Amino acid sequence: MFLSVTGISNAALDILIGVLLTLLTVAVLFISVYFIIKYAGKEKGANVLKLLVVVLVIGFLVRILLSIAVLGHKIDFRYVIQNTLEDPDYRVGDATEPPSLRLYPFTYYAISMFASPLLNAGLSYDNVIVNMFIKMPFMIADIVTAFLMYRAGKRFVNEYVGVILASLVCFCPIFLFASSLWGSIVCLLIPIFLGAFLCLVEKKYIPAILIADLALITAKEGMIILPVMFAYFLIVWIKSVYDYAKGNKASTTKNVKSTTSNYNTFVKKQKESLLNIVLIPLTAVLGQVLIYLIALPYLEPIKNLGSTYADFVELFFIMPIRDSWYFGENALNIYAVFGFNTERVVSKMNQMLIAVIFAVFIAIITGIVYFIKKNRAVVLAFGTYAIFTVCTYFVGFTALSIIPVLGMLLLSFVTTKDKRFFRSFCVTVILLIILVSIIYVKAGYYNTLHLSQLGSDYTGGTWLNVGSFKVVMIILSVLQVLNHIYLTFTTFDITINNRVRKFTLDEAPTFKKVMKEVFTNRK
């Protein structure tokens, strides 16, 4: 990769890089399964925390090196990041482009915090150090994601699995590519989604709501967390009202102290219900107020744009859904299967209707899952499935919009211990690394040149919508839709049939054993 940093990459070298990244992805996934099978049943060991620190530090240093070697996605870099930093009016686009936000406030602040001091000091955008610092929030987000995966693995399995999952995030090529080679703003959503759902699983409802709200001002894709969170907390609130009223009725009609086997438990449940009744709606309102206040400094410099809460809702919640111009921009979704990749959406009103249908469907199923299982790990698994579904069947997503789903699949795997979630994760990761590698090969992006430096003879482009590139896009999308169908059966098999397919542990697994565990559903 470092051989091509001084000019437009040689096509053969670019293809070689893509092949190597794909092979490295398969190797990292195989090694991860091997060590999960080997160490998932072990007791606590020494020096695990030290190993975690080493993994996180090396993972961060690798990202630094990669961010210097390759500029990133040049169109995103120029039109999404540079223009927004230079011109406040560009934050809402212009007449020739979709009237949607370029950078959301939290992402804008994060990038500005690292890049603005260097730009103000006189360094230009073509400086490799500026390039590295623009990507810094995304690389830090990866390390936070790795730590959260360690925390989840430690809690639900053991410290060894926690370190294995952290290592997977640190060294899996798709995470490296998204943050360091592409510089995708969606990377910021991975730890936010993980943090919100981890808090939900641990019944830390206040931070779960506030973290989920943060997703709404980070990137457009942050909206996909809203239906599951809204439905879950609405159900918890209604149930708390019912439980509290039922408890009060029992306490007034009977001598609770003498008829209740555990009076302290009764009082604790009443207090918990009352706190949920008060704090859930209060926190929901507070969260909206906080993200609105956070967004105000971002909105005020924009000409001809109001800064009321109604304007805030219009910009962040309505426009991103209503004004998508394309069925998908190299997104692995159902529309690409039928050749609609990068095709314009004809009716914008239909987008809102589809979004409402999706939200209502997800909310209803979330309620059904909750009342059937009352198991927050299963609700998390369904939340993962719901987000995967939106990314597969809704319009307006890009190649890396599904990146937050990868973290959710890993989290679902570690909480349910069902290896089918890990299997879906592996398929998605392999398809994605092939996709982004092809995009970079076609565009000639494995270098440090800016878009304006490519020259008048540049004939590349990022859209996979012609010739053999379109055929590959269709094949990858078909496989991803099949992967979604597989995840559908997995999710409802766990929910309805209570059937979990775990890895069979072995302290000395062989290659054949690992392959058998990956490709069979033996308990």
Side-chain angles (χ1 to χ4, degrees), residues 70-75 77 131 135 180-183 440 445 447:
V70 175
L71 170 70
H73 192 284
K74 301 183 190 302
I75 293 178
F77 189 88
N131 174 36
K135 296 176 184 176
S180 304
L181 299 183
W182 187 297
Y440 266 44
Y445 277 3
N447 52 65

Side-chain angles (χ1 to χ4, degrees), residues 46-66:
N47 299 323
V48 173
L49 190 57
K50 292 181 180 179
L51 179 59
L52 172 68
V53 173
V54 171
V55 165
L56 296 181
V57 170
I58 295 177
F60 184 69
L61 293 178
V62 169
R63 282 164 171 78
I64 293 292
L65 292 175
L66 291 176

Side-chain angles (χ1 to χ4, degrees), residues 12 56 68 85-86 115 165-166 233 238 250-251 263 269-270 291 328 421 428 455 481:
L56 296 181
I68 295 174
L85 291 176
E86 292 177 342
L165 295 178
F233 285 112
I238 293 173
S251 65
Y263 177 72
K269 287 182 178 179
Q270 285 295 94
I291 61 174
F421 284 105
T428 305
V481 171

Side-chain angles (χ1 to χ4, degrees), residues 261-301:
S261 59
N262 193 332
Y263 177 72
N264 291 332
T265 301
F266 171 79
V267 172
K268 182 179 179 181
K269 287 182 178 179
Q270 285 295 94
K271 287 182 178 179
E272 182 179 332
S273 296
L274 182 59
L275 285 174
N276 287 339
I277 292 169
V278 175
L279 292 181
I280 287 177
L282 185 64
T283 306
V285 173
L286 177 63
Q288 286 296 302
V289 172
L290 286 177
I291 61 174
Y292 171 60
L293 293 176
I294 292 172
L296 272 180
Y298 176 91
L299 298 174
E300 286 181 350

Side-chain angles (χ1 to χ4, degrees), residues 334-354:
I334 189 67
Y335 306 104
V337 171
F338 297 101
F340 292 147
N341 180 40
T342 71
E343 294 291 329
R344 290 287 295 268
V345 178
V346 177
S347 174
K348 296 188 186 304
M349 282 301 295
N350 287 341
Q351 297 179 47
M352 290 301 299
L353 177 61
I354 294 172

Side-chain angles (χ1 to χ4, degrees), residues 194-240:
L194 289 180
F197 277 99
L198 272 174
C199 288
L200 184 150
V201 170
E202 296 172 357
K203 297 186 71 173
K204 298 175 181 177
Y205 292 152
I206 293 177
I209 294 172
L210 296 178
I211 295 172
D213 280 328
L214 182 62
L216 304 179
I217 57 169
T218 299
K220 179 186 78 171
E221 289 82 358
M223 285 286 292
I224 60 182
I225 198 177
L226 193 57
V228 175
M229 285 291 183
F230 177 80
Y232 180 82
F233 285 112
L234 178 62
I235 292 166
V236 169
W237 186 81
I238 293 173
K239 185 177 182 300
S240 297

Side-chain angles (χ1 to χ4, degrees), residues 214-410:
L214 182 62
L216 304 179
I217 57 169
T218 299
K220 179 186 78 171
E221 289 82 358
M223 285 286 292
I224 60 182
I225 198 177
L226 193 57
V228 175
M229 285 291 183
F230 177 80
Y232 180 82
F233 285 112
L234 178 62
I235 292 166
V236 169
W237 186 81
I238 293 173
K239 185 177 182 300
S240 297
V241 171
Y242 173 78
D243 290 343
Y244 186 74
K246 183 179 179 181
N248 276 347
K249 183 177 180 181
S251 65
T252 55
T253 57
K254 299 179 182 179
N255 185 347
V256 176
K257 201 164 190 175
S258 61
T259 59
T260 305
S261 59
N262 193 332
Y263 177 72
N264 291 332
T265 301
F266 171 79
V267 172
K268 182 179 179 181
K269 287 182 178 179
Q270 285 295 94
K271 287 182 178 179
E272 182 179 332
S273 296
L274 182 59
L275 285 174
N276 287 339
I277 292 169
V278 175
L279 292 181
I280 287 177
L282 185 64
T283 306
V285 173
L286 177 63
Q288 286 296 302
V289 172
L290 286 177
I291 61 174
Y292 171 60
L293 293 176
I294 292 172
L296 272 180
Y298 176 91
L299 298 174
E300 286 181 350
I302 304 175
K303 299 175 183 176
N304 302 318
L305 178 68
S307 56
T308 66
Y309 182 75
D311 298 315
F312 170 78
V313 172
E314 171 75 9
L315 283 171
F316 290 95
F317 302 157
I318 305 300
M319 276 189 180
I321 299 174
R322 183 190 64 203
D323 296 321
S324 296
W325 276 27
Y326 304 101
F327 285 103
E329 298 178 59
N330 294 333
L332 296 178
N333 60 22
I334 189 67
Y335 306 104
V337 171
F338 297 101
F340 292 147
N341 180 40
T342 71
E343 294 291 329
R344 290 287 295 268
V345 178
V346 177
S347 174
K348 296 188 186 304
M349 282 301 295
N350 287 341
Q351 297 179 47
M352 290 301 299
L353 177 61
I354 294 172
V356 171
I357 293 173
F358 266 109
V360 171
F361 171 77
I362 291 171
I364 292 173
I365 299 299
T366 301
I368 293 173
V369 170
Y370 177 87
F371 284 113
I372 289 177
K373 303 298 294 184
K374 294 184 180 180
N375 185 325
R376 290 181 299 279
V378 176
V379 172
L380 165 63
F382 176 77
T384 301
Y385 167 73
I387 294 171
F388 200 124
T389 301
V390 174
C391 290
T392 307
Y393 293 98
F394 195 63
V395 299
F397 289 118
T398 63
L400 290 180
S401 291
I402 200 171
I403 279 287
V405 175
L406 298 181
M408 296 297 297
L409 285 168
L410 283 180

Side-chain angles (χ1 to χ4, degrees), residues 24 28 54-56 58-60 62-63 166-176:
L24 182 60
V28 169
V54 171
V55 165
L56 296 181
I58 295 177
F60 184 69
V62 169
R63 282 164 171 78
S167 302
L168 178 58
V169 173
C170 281
F171 302 117
C172 184
I174 190 60
F175 291 107
L176 291 167

